[in-house]
C-alpha cells in the first residue's frame, strides 16, 4: 500500500505514523531523487529486524525513471509486507497518483480520499479477482538477501497464486500439491493484526464455498512462522471432503449473529 502525504502538515503526519508503527522504519533523505533510494531500501528490507514502514521524501518525481523506481520500491515493500509513505509537493503528486492508481490492493484510494475511513469500514464487500504486481527475482533477492535460485523459486510461487481483494482484505490462494487442499493466505489491506472469525468464515464461504470446510492451524513452536501480519486457512473446495474434526450437530446460531 502506498500513502501520499502532501501539504504543510505532511511531515508531522508522517512523523506520527512512524512513531506508531510498532517496528523498524526507513526514512529517506529528502535531498535525494527516487532512484537513489532503491539499493539502500533493499538493504534495509533484507536486514531490518521488524520492517514496518518506508517513508521517502524525494527531491523530485517527474520522469519515467522516477516512476519505475517508485514501482520497484512498491513491489519490494509489498513482498515484505511493508507500507510505503510518500511525502512531497506538486512535483511528486502526478507520478505518485499514477502508481497509486495501479496499486491493485488499494480500493479506490486517491490522494484526496479518506483512506482511513475506506480501510477501517468493517462491512465486507464482495471479493474480486485481481493480478498481483510481482517483483522480479532481482528485487526479491535484494529485499530478502537470498540467492538467485531461491529468489526465482519465490517468484514462481507468487506467479502460481490466485489473488482476490475487497475493501478490507487481500487473499492469496495456493493450490497445494495433493490437489485436494487449498491454502488461503489472508491479510488486511491496512496491515493491522486483526483476527476476525466472522470475516474469515465469510472469506472461506466466498472463495471455497459455503458448505466447504477449512481449518486454522496452531503449530508446534519448532515450526512456527510469524513474520508478517498474515493469517492462514487450509480447506477443501469440495463439500464432501472433511478434516473429521469440529461440531457435527447441525447449524446452531444465536439470533443476531
Amino acid at each position: 500500500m502506498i500513502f501520499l502525504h502532501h501539504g504543510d502538515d505532511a511531515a508531522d503526519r508522517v512523523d506520527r505514523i512512524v512513531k506508531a508503527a510498532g517496528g523498524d522504519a526507513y526514512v529517506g533523505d529528502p535531498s535525494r531523487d527516487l532512484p537513489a533510494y532503491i539499493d539502500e531500501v533493499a538493504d534495509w528490507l533484507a536486514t531490518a529486524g521488524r520492517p514496518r514502514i518506508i517513508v521517502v521524501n524525494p527531491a523530485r518525481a517527474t520522469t519515467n525513471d522516477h516512476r519505475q523506481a517508485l514501482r520497484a520500491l512498491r513491489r519490494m515493500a509489498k513482498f515484505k509486507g511493508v507500507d510505503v509513505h510518500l511525502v512531497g509537493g506538486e512535483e511528486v503528486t502526478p507520478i505518485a497518483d499514477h502508481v497509486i492508481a495501479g496499486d491493485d490492493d488499494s480500493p479506490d484510494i486517491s490522494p484526496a480520499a479518506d483512506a482511513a475511513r475506506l480501510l477501517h469500514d468493517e462491512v465486507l464487500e464482495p471479493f474480486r479477482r485481481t493480478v498481483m504486481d510481482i517483483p522480479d527475482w532481482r528485487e526479491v533477492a535484494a529485499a530478502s538477501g537470498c540467492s538467485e535460485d531461491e529468489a526465482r523459486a519465490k517468484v514462481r510461487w507468487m506467479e502460481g497464486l490466485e489473488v482476490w481483494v475487497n475493501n478490507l482484505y487481500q487473499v492469496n490462494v495456493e493450490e497445494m500439491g495433493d490437489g485436494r487442499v487449498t491454502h488461503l493466505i489472508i491479510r488486511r489491506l491496512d496491515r493491522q493484526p486483526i483476527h476476525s472469525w466472522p470475516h474469515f468464515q465469510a472469506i472461506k464461504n466466498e472463495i471455497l464455498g459455503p458448505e466447504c470446510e477449512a481449518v486454522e492451524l496452531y503449530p508446534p513452536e519448532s515450526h512456527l512462522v510469524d513474520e508478517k501480519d498474515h493469517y492462514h486457512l487450509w480447506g477443501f473446495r469440495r463439500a464432501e471432503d472433511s478434516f473429521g474434526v469440529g461440531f457435527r450437530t447441525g447449524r446452531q446460531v444465536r439470533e443476531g449473529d
Side-chain angles (χ1 to χ4, degrees):
M1 186 71 68
I2 293 180
F3 295 86
L4 175 63
H5 304 262
H6 55 85
D8 294 338
D9 64 340
D12 289 339
R13 280 184 284 138
V14 171
D15 186 56
R16 290 196 299 271
I17 291 167
V18 169
K19 288 179 179 177
D24 295 335
Y26 172 92
V27 181
D29 180 351
S31 67
R32 302 166 68 192
D33 287 343
L34 274 166
Y37 285 115
I38 301 304
D39 289 343
E40 186 175 307
V41 169
D43 289 343
W44 177 80
L45 284 169
T47 58
R50 292 184 61 209
R52 299 288 293 187
I53 296 289
I54 295 171
V55 178
V56 291
N57 188 356
R60 59 196 176 94
T62 55
T63 70
N64 190 57
D65 285 346
H66 297 141
R67 179 178 297 169
Q68 295 305 315
L70 187 52
R71 288 193 181 282
L73 183 64
R74 180 189 69 171
R75 288 192 296 266
M76 288 191 292
K78 287 176 70 175
F79 172 69
K80 297 288 284 187
V82 178
D83 286 338
V84 178
H85 290 251
L86 186 69
V87 183
E90 294 304 315
E91 287 189 322
V92 174
T93 304
I95 282 183
D97 284 352
H98 182 85
V99 173
I100 291 169
D103 199 343
D104 290 325
D105 64 4
S106 300
D108 302 323
I109 292 177
S110 68
D114 183 355
R117 177 183 58 80
L118 286 170
L119 290 176
H120 290 89
D121 179 2
E122 295 299 317
V123 177
L124 287 181
E125 295 177 0
F127 279 88
R128 58 183 174 85
R129 183 82 178 266
T130 188
V131 177
M132 189 189 309
D133 190 7
I134 298 174
D136 65 29
W137 71 265
R138 296 174 184 81
E139 292 166 346
V140 171
S144 300
C146 62
S147 69
E148 178 180 338
D149 287 346
E150 292 170 327
R152 288 185 182 276
K154 289 180 181 180
V155 170
R156 287 194 298 271
W157 177 76
M158 287 186 283
E159 289 173 342
L161 300 175
E162 287 182 15
V163 184
W164 298 83
V165 295
N166 70 357
N167 60 314
L168 286 177
Y169 293 95
Q170 176 177 320
V171 182
N172 297 341
V173 182
E174 177 188 18
E175 299 299 336
M176 305 301 290
D178 63 5
R180 293 182 62 223
V181 176
T182 299
H183 178 201
L184 306 185
I185 305 166
I186 303 168
R187 72 168 178 86
R188 285 178 63 104
L189 300 183
D190 58 7
R191 312 283 188 190
Q192 294 301 306
I194 298 173
H195 185 291
S196 169
W197 186 92
H199 283 186
F200 288 10
Q201 176 74 358
I203 290 168
K204 185 274 301 178
N205 288 349
E206 186 165 348
I207 294 178
L208 296 182
E211 292 304 315
C212 293
E213 191 171 275
V215 297
E216 186 175 24
L217 180 65
Y218 292 84
E221 286 295 315
S222 56
H223 292 279
L224 181 63
V225 176
D226 187 15
E227 298 178 325
K228 302 176 182 178
D229 292 320
H230 290 180
Y231 300 93
H232 302 265
L233 298 180
W234 285 267
F236 301 112
R237 289 191 182 271
R238 301 191 311 170
E240 59 266 30
D241 289 332
S242 174
F243 291 99
V245 296
F247 300 110
R248 291 294 186 269
T249 55
R251 180 176 173 84
Q252 301 178 43
V253 180
R254 291 196 305 268
E255 189 67 29
D257 287 355

